[in-house]
Amino acid sequence: MVIDSDWVINYIINNGTKIVIPKEVTCIKSGSFELRNIDGKFGEGFSDKVNFELFFEVGSELREIESHAFFGLNISNVIHIPNSVEKIDSFAFDGNIYKFIIDEKSKLNYYGYNDVGMISEIFTIPCNLKDMYISEYSKTNTVIVTDKAKVENIKLYKSNIKVVFPNGKEIISDDNKFIFE
């Protein structure tokens, strides 16, 4: 099952703004929760007046969140990204997201350039993550690389991020620092 903007509009009409993603969903398509689509259906400014909540059913099979999937949307709760997610494209959470959590044991192997989402000040890299980008707008100030991490490429577009390695070595980033590249 794939979620697109039609699915989202129908869900809001029938169930409101507390959105529960069914466990059978494997992909959330680009623009699915885009502010313009929602406001286009419910009236200009609708999404500014409403705080959406986003939850995933237990046993989620979600594998990919495409770019701009949540473009401009206000999501007020802490989002727990399912461990089944392998890819979060760039700008997937380009909106007003409070915070999301990615478990260390997540299957996530690609985290694209996202302005939000990296709200946590300390981010421990999930063990399967290979590619990661941290934007200059991220609130993250410490990245922890565990001994089980398979990371190959970290791009930091923000200065003064401390990266801590399993051997205890630490580095402080400069703008546009590329680690493991």
Side-chain angles (χ1 to χ4, degrees):
M1 180 177 176
V2 172
I3 287 184
D4 60 14
S5 59
D6 290 336
W7 184 94
V8 172
I9 297 297
N10 287 327
Y11 188 95
I12 294 169
I13 289 170
N14 294 310
N15 303 293
T17 58
K18 182 177 179 180
I19 298 169
V20 179
I21 306 295
K23 65 181 179 181
E24 298 82 16
V25 171
T26 57
C27 179
I28 300 175
K29 301 297 282 178
S30 181
S32 292
F33 290 86
E34 186 170 344
L35 170 94
R36 289 177 288 199
N37 294 334
I38 294 170
D39 283 357
K41 177 65 179 177
F42 298 102
E44 188 172 335
F46 171 80
S47 56
D48 289 333
K49 299 173 193 164
V50 175
N51 281 322
F52 290 84
E53 292 182 274
L54 180 67
F55 301 93
F56 297 89
E57 283 186 348
V58 174
S60 175
E61 298 171 12
L62 184 64
R63 290 191 309 269
E64 181 176 5
I65 302 172
E66 291 185 356
S67 69
H68 298 91
F70 295 93
F71 184 79
L73 195 66
N74 294 318
I75 298 178
S76 61
N77 66 302
V78 175
I79 302 166
H80 293 268
I81 302 295
N83 284 347
S84 59
V85 174
E86 298 170 2
K87 182 178 185 181
I88 298 175
D89 274 335
S90 295
F91 306 107
F93 290 96
D94 195 3
N96 207 1
I97 311 295
Y98 169 65
K99 179 179 181 180
F100 65 72
I101 296 172
I102 301 170
D103 189 270
E104 280 184 60
K105 295 179 178 109
S106 169
K107 292 181 180 177
L108 185 68
N109 61 48
Y110 178 81
Y111 181 85
Y113 185 92
N114 284 282
D115 289 344
V116 297
M118 299 299 289
I119 304 291
S120 301
E121 291 184 10
I122 299 173
F123 181 74
T124 301
I125 294 178
C127 62
N128 290 304
L129 187 68
K130 293 181 182 174
D131 292 298
M132 176 181 176
Y133 302 80
I134 296 180
S135 101
E136 63 270 25
Y137 303 108
S138 170
K139 298 219 185 319
T140 301
N141 58 29
T142 303
V143 174
I144 299 172
V145 181
T146 65
D147 59 346
K148 294 180 177 152
K150 299 175 184 172
V151 67
E152 296 171 359
N153 180 19
I154 301 176
K155 292 185 181 181
L156 307 173
Y157 295 96
K158 177 181 175 184
S159 349
N160 298 318
I161 294 180
K162 177 171 45 171
V163 180
V164 181
F165 296 93
N167 63 5
K169 180 182 174 188
E170 297 180 2
I171 63 168
I172 305 293
S173 69
D174 295 328
D175 283 333
N176 297 320
K177 181 89 168 196
F178 301 95
I179 303 171
F180 303 124
E181 188 173 61

